[in-house]
Amino acid sequence: MIPVTLTTHSRLSSLDFDDIPFGKVFSDHMFYAEYNNGTWQKMEIKPLQKLEIHPSNLAWHYGQSIFEGMKATKHIDGSPMLMRPEMHAQRMNASAERMCMPTFPEEMFVEAVSQLVSIESAWIPPAKGSALYLRPIMFAADEFIGVRPSEKYIYIIMALPVGPYYSTPLRLKAEETYIRAADGGTGEAKTAGNYAGSLYPWQKAKDEGYDQIMWLDAKEKKYIQEAGTMNIFCVINDVVITPKTSGSILKGITRDSILKILSAEGYQVEEREITIDDLIAASNDGSLTEIFGSGTAAVVIHVKEVGYQDTTLTLDPDTFKIAPFVKNYIDSLRDGSMEDKFGWTTKLTQSTAV
Ligand code: COI
């Protein structure tokens, strides 16, 4: 068991479960660990608190900072639940390796998350589609000005009650000028810089009236990669297509769940390259019926428009069938109302609570 110090000033009573802005409300506790002299140490669950950080902290200068996003939900019988936590542990470690940071033992990650969620279970919003969003983050902690991998790191897991990330279907701009990631770059890692680099093009797209960007490949600017901070799917001639991950696309865990659920349910799914021109042609001949994004925060969100050069491709989300089906499937796995034939969900029992 990880040592626990409980807060004496819970903020839970100030939470309005019917009105939770995404990303602004934090639960009472956090998991904390430090890496020094080649080992993880000082592991603790303690009241959420500010950190004292030296201005020379390497993460701030050279960007050694990675994160994850995962969700804890409430089973219809009231127990807290996790879905595929080991996948998040593995992806965090893959990001760590790419960013030259130490890995964190997978079983310790699952234990930390389970214990934190058990302690914070009263913070899990009960509504379907809502969740306790878990945000593991690891960043460099050396006080040093010079470019090299840090020797010390801090690892934190925060928890935030959240409702849906997006509430309405999205308008995407297929981006021709700026890129998110190139082959051989860091696109597959959940590292801070990938998100920092996306902000300027996103801001420009927002100024043009779009909600998010449809990222195209760095070299030819024609292959579809991602949608904003999500993976992307489209349905053409009843085949569900998502770009194959090739090093520059994030290996979404929701993406993987969607592929597995749809395959098991008898849908035809394909991971392959698809160009923006393919999408426009399919829209023109009527074979394109859905586009949707997927991610931990967003789960599944419909796309109603894609702008590319002088073309605007429009879709009617009210006619989508596969996106709402798979969203409901995931939400129902997360609240236990759907049988979990994949063995992805874990109910946390009171024995793990403190
Ligand atoms: C997630 O879907 O959990 C993400 O990491 C996207 C995020 C930047 C909100």
Side-chain angles (χ1 to χ4, degrees):
M1 290 282 275
I2 298 161
V4 176
T5 306
L6 293 177
T7 182
T8 50
H9 295 92
S10 174
R11 288 170 284 101
L12 182 60
S13 60
S14 63
L15 175 64
D16 175 0
F17 279 106
D18 295 323
D19 178 24
I20 316 176
F22 189 97
K24 291 188 177 170
V25 182
F26 298 85
S27 76
D28 285 328
H29 300 92
M30 66 183 190
F31 167 80
Y32 181 90
E34 286 178 15
Y35 183 87
N36 196 5
N37 294 322
T39 57
W40 286 105
Q41 45 197 268
K42 298 192 186 167
M43 283 188 215
E44 190 186 356
I45 291 176
K46 59 185 180 183
L48 181 79
Q49 55 200 257
K50 295 186 177 171
L51 308 174
E52 199 168 282
I53 298 202
H54 194 274
S56 69
N57 179 290
L58 272 182
W60 287 346
H61 297 256
Y62 310 122
Q64 266 190 308
S65 179
I66 60 170
F67 72 95
E68 264 302 310
M70 58 183 289
K71 278 179 170 168
T73 46
K74 205 154 249 186
H75 191 277
I76 40 182
D77 72 8
S79 334
M81 286 181 86
L82 292 175
M83 191 162 131
R84 312 188 82 185
E86 69 295 338
M87 294 288 285
H88 292 276
Q90 288 161 16
R91 191 172 62 180
M92 185 84 169
N93 281 341
S95 299
E97 276 175 24
R98 178 63 183 86
M99 302 311 291
C100 216
M101 299 163 83
T103 56
F104 190 81
E106 199 177 308
E107 55 298 341
M108 188 56 71
F109 177 95
V110 175
E111 189 180 334
V113 163
S114 305
Q115 217 177 309
L116 182 65
V117 169
S118 294
I119 291 169
E120 303 296 57
S121 59
W123 286 85
I124 304 175
K128 206 182 186 95
S130 297
L132 189 65
Y133 184 79
L134 303 166
R135 173 49 66 92
I137 176 168
M138 193 218 298
F139 53 90
D142 275 11
E143 297 172 4
F144 175 67
I145 299 283
V147 182
R148 61 150 172 76
S150 186
E151 287 165 1
K152 295 186 196 135
Y153 294 87
I154 293 175
Y155 199 117
I156 287 173
I157 306 175
M158 293 165 261
L160 301 86
V162 295
Y165 192 70
Y166 295 111
S167 46
T168 50
L170 304 180
R171 301 180 68 216
L172 303 181
K173 174 188 176 189
E175 176 61 64
E176 280 189 287
T177 307
Y178 303 99
I179 57 151
R180 177 187 168 275
D183 285 352
T186 58
E188 216 172 74
K190 262 184 111 58
T191 185
N194 287 342
Y195 295 80
S198 74
L199 297 178
Y200 180 68
W202 177 51
Q203 190 58 59
K204 284 176 84 82
K206 282 204 332 178
D207 292 345
E208 292 166 32
Y210 295 100
D211 301 301
Q212 272 297 352
I213 286 179
M214 176 185 272
W215 295 106
L216 302 178
D217 73 289
K219 202 167 164 191
E220 297 181 64
K221 308 261 180 62
K222 63 179 194 180
Y223 295 101
I224 291 162
Q225 298 215 307
E226 294 192 19
T229 57
M230 299 175 291
N231 292 113
I232 192 162
F233 286 81
C234 59
V235 182
I236 299 177
N237 286 324
D238 294 328
V239 180
V240 185
I241 303 162
T242 191
K244 66 173 189 220
T245 57
S246 55
S248 55
I249 294 179
L250 187 82
K251 286 188 175 159
I253 294 163
T254 307
R255 172 188 181 279
D256 182 74
S257 300
I258 290 172
L259 289 170
K260 291 195 164 80
I261 290 168
L262 292 179
S263 298
E265 290 294 316
Y267 290 89
Q268 197 181 333
V269 296
E270 286 178 6
E271 291 179 79
R272 66 164 167 89
E273 288 178 335
I274 173 156
T275 66
I276 182 71
D277 290 333
D278 294 337
L279 217 52
I280 291 168
S283 172
N284 289 341
D285 71 18
S287 56
L288 172 73
T289 47
E290 301 184 34
I291 302 182
F292 55 94
S294 75
T296 301
V299 189
V300 169
I301 182 75
H302 302 183
V303 172
K304 66 174 179 188
E305 194 179 302
V306 180
Y308 176 64
Q309 296 174 345
D310 296 333
T311 307
T312 301
L313 174 168
T314 53
L315 298 119
D316 179 3
D318 288 340
T319 63
F320 287 13
K321 292 192 172 56
I322 295 174
F325 166 78
V326 78
K327 178 178 188 320
N328 182 57
Y329 197 112
I330 293 172
D331 285 342
S332 302
L333 283 176
R334 285 193 191 278
D335 74 4
S337 57
M338 168 87 69
E339 185 206 347
D340 177 9
K341 54 187 175 200
F342 302 97
W344 289 339
T345 52
T346 315
K347 253 199 269 193
L348 302 174
T349 60
Q350 287 307 310
S351 60
T352 52
V354 171

